[in-house]
Amino acid sequence: MLALLADVRAPPLPPPSGGSNVCTLQQVHPTDAARLGLVDGGPATVASDGGAVTAPAEITDGVRPGVVSLPHGWGHHRPGTRLSVAAVRPGVNVNQLLDGTRLDPLSGTAVLNGFPVTVTPAATHEPVAPAGAPVVPKS
């Protein structure tokens, strides 16, 4: 079991001219990646109480062992979304991992990050999360 730290960024802007697509990568420590059988850039599924999402794994020592960091992509790939810039590289919606039952004991508000997840290599991956693709409800 790993802990997820959601990385919420500013509203979508045109993609930068270089670097990685920060709205679709999940960062995983090399030790965890080796143990889980993940490869750098390969698809990985993150699952928790509410469902699962699939995004490419970025193997980096920039996160601690036992933690994965997944930028919140807002899921602008869904039908009816009229945000043309955001829809180009929508990223997966981290909220799809939660079912609403995890509450912060002090405030009583929903837990939105720092919750337990499982990570597994995925068989396939659609990099821009086409409509309906990466969200898999848990039974």
Side-chain angles (χ1 to χ4, degrees):
M1 187 72 59
L2 301 169
L4 178 103
L5 293 177
D7 185 358
V8 180
R9 310 259 172 159
L13 299 172
S17 60
S20 66
N21 179 1
V22 296
C23 286
T24 60
L25 292 174
Q26 56 183 312
Q27 295 181 328
V28 183
H29 190 274
T31 303
D32 292 324
R35 179 175 53 83
L36 298 169
L38 302 176
V39 296
D40 195 42
T45 299
V46 179
S48 190
D49 301 336
V53 296
T54 299
E58 177 184 9
I59 312 305
T60 175
D61 60 4
V63 294
R64 296 177 61 118
V67 173
V68 294
S69 177
L70 179 64
H72 196 315
W74 305 104
H76 287 142
H77 61 284
R78 296 180 180 261
T81 301
R82 294 177 292 177
L83 301 170
S84 60
V85 172
V88 172
R89 293 200 173 136
V92 296
N93 186 335
V94 174
N95 292 336
Q96 297 298 310
L97 297 172
L98 300 165
D99 64 2
T101 60
R102 293 185 182 276
L103 300 176
D104 176 74
L106 295 175
S107 67
T109 60
V111 168
L112 300 175
N113 99 41
F115 54 91
V117 296
T118 57
V119 179
T120 57
T124 61
H125 172 64
E126 296 293 332
V128 292
V135 179
V136 180
K138 288 180 101 173
S139 51

